[in-house]
Amino acid sequence: MTMTNAGGRRRPPTIHDVAREAGVSRGTVSRVLNGGHYVSPAAQEAVNAAIRRTGYVVNRHARSLITGRSDSIGFLLTEPQERFFEDPNFNVLLRGCTQALAGHDVPLLLMLAGTEDERRRITRYITAGHVDGVLLVSSHSGDPVAEQLREAGVPLVACGKPIGLGSKVSYVAADDRDGARDMVKHLVSLGRRRIGMVTGPLDTPGGVERLAGYREVLAEAGIEADDRLVASGDYSRASGEAGAEQLLDRAADMDAVFVASDLMAQGVLAALHKAGRRVPEDVAVGGFDDSPAATAVTPALTTIRQPWDRISNEMVRVLLAQIGGDDPAAVILPTELVRRDST
């Protein structure tokens, strides 16, 4: 529907146009736009249909002056910028959260804060009210951002359980420990006994939980723990390659390796190839995530699938509920073993 002014020029539709098209008062339209309170289902449907027909777009600035909200959400990654572009998981999560919020007509602002100065600036920006809530990705222990935002009363949902904050902060996580257990059980079932691991950062919940799952299954299988078979990584491809080189140097008889991310597993495969080890004949390799990195290598990677779509949707759902006044909540989602050619 085209709106014109007295001079015959096209103009953007207004709330008055929507009210006239829907056959309701301007106040009813305003109530629909601000949450639909005290509006009958029939009137709400009439207003929504009129918005579609007229092409009306909410003036977010004007509405924020009335509601005290910015009508936007921050996606905060506390990692160096290059990690955002290297690790496909962050892009998958960002896309999923963006799509989930689109259904609520709420834009998502990407915020990268990899240094202490950047975190201070971003924290000031957020606590000044420029976003209504934050989706926090990749929180490390000792990183003050989550605690500072919580103390400032900013609605917050973390991807993964923030270490040290317990039930104080909402979070959505895959079951990292159970996923690790499934992978190591799979490697044991293949007859592998000298199973190494390249861990994630041990100041993150995923790093801690995946290592714990690995150790639990070895103990249950009666396989003696050997510290020479554990190397630390930081979820980067380079750290996976360096970790595999350490394991090969310290334990030449290693016959399998569980890698705490698919991107690191790419580096592990490269190191094994350089060392002349066949995969999976000499060394079976299992990853974690089921990211695009898992199928971008040869052989394709056996891995643990994280339900990224569900994680994104749940993070958005929990955050919007918290913005609406709900208490913090925790959601833990199941993982799945995906068998491919590397085991």
Side-chain angles (χ1 to χ4, degrees):
M1 179 175 295
T2 301
M3 306 296 170
T4 56
N5 59 21
R9 297 179 188 172
R10 185 173 181 176
R11 63 172 177 80
T14 68
I15 193 171
H16 300 284
D17 298 319
V18 174
R20 185 168 52 253
E21 180 71 18
V24 299
S25 70
R26 182 183 179 281
T28 297
V29 176
S30 180
R31 286 193 293 275
V32 170
L33 294 175
N34 288 287
H37 302 295
Y38 311 112
V39 179
S40 70
Q44 183 150 344
E45 175 54 36
V47 170
N48 288 333
I51 289 172
R52 291 192 294 270
R53 288 195 297 270
T54 61
Y56 173 76
V57 177
V58 176
N59 184 328
R60 293 188 180 277
H61 177 67
R63 187 164 75 177
S64 70
L65 294 176
I66 298 171
T67 64
R69 292 183 177 178
S70 70
D71 281 338
S72 61
I73 298 297
F75 183 96
L76 175 57
L77 177 63
T78 54
E79 295 282 356
Q81 291 188 17
E82 58 269 19
R83 187 64 55 79
F84 173 75
F85 296 102
E86 180 189 27
D87 193 327
N89 292 329
F90 295 141
N91 289 280
V92 171
L93 190 62
L94 175 63
R95 182 170 62 249
C97 291
T98 300
Q99 291 171 345
L101 282 167
H104 300 274
D105 194 27
V106 176
L108 186 65
L109 307 181
L110 173 62
M111 303 174 177
L112 302 178
T115 68
E116 187 175 336
D117 285 343
E118 289 171 345
R119 285 190 282 273
R120 277 199 297 266
R121 286 195 296 272
I122 289 294
T123 300
R124 285 199 303 268
Y125 179 85
I126 292 170
T127 55
H130 293 293
V131 295
D132 294 327
V134 173
L135 301 167
L136 178 64
V137 184
S138 189
S139 177
H140 297 256
S141 64
D143 178 355
V145 171
E147 179 65 19
Q148 289 171 354
L149 295 180
R150 186 191 72 81
E151 289 178 350
V154 176
L156 170 70
V157 177
C159 182
K161 183 178 180 179
I163 295 175
L165 292 179
S167 61
K168 297 177 181 178
V169 172
S170 294
Y171 66 89
V172 177
D175 195 331
D176 291 295
R177 185 176 300 215
D178 193 60
R181 288 177 56 85
D182 285 344
M183 177 57 74
V184 181
K185 285 180 181 178
H186 172 61
L187 296 172
V188 170
S189 75
L190 300 175
R192 312 292 171 140
R193 305 290 292 181
R194 296 288 288 166
I195 303 171
M197 181 177 182
V198 180
T199 75
L202 296 181
D203 61 349
T204 64
V208 171
E209 291 295 307
R210 293 170 202 180
L211 177 59
Y214 160 83
R215 286 175 168 161
E216 286 175 359
V217 173
L218 292 187
E220 292 166 5
I223 299 173
E224 185 177 355
D226 185 344
D227 289 341
R228 295 176 300 168
L229 284 168
V230 177
S232 297
D234 63 7
Y235 292 144
S236 69
R237 187 185 188 282
S239 73
E241 186 167 358
E245 290 171 350
Q246 292 173 29
L247 295 177
L248 289 169
D249 184 58
R250 298 194 303 233
D253 59 344
M254 180 176 69
D255 59 11
V257 58
F258 167 43
V259 193
S261 81
D262 293 343
L263 189 61
M264 287 198 301
Q266 284 190 341
V268 168
L269 291 173
L272 291 172
H273 178 72
K274 284 195 296 186
R277 303 296 180 91
R278 298 170 300 164
V279 177
E281 293 86 354
D282 300 326
V283 181
V285 178
F288 202 107
D289 291 331
D290 197 29
S291 70
T295 53
V297 289
T298 303
L301 194 63
T302 293
T303 189
I304 296 296
R305 175 174 294 155
Q306 295 204 62
W308 291 113
D309 287 345
R310 292 187 64 192
I311 290 172
S312 301
N313 287 329
E314 285 297 299
M315 288 181 69
V316 168
R317 181 189 66 79
V318 171
L319 182 60
L320 293 179
Q322 194 172 334
I323 291 170
D326 285 5
D327 291 332
V331 179
I332 298 177
L333 300 171
T335 57
E336 177 188 355
L337 175 67
V338 180
R339 295 176 176 86
R340 295 195 180 99
D341 299 333
S342 65
T343 61

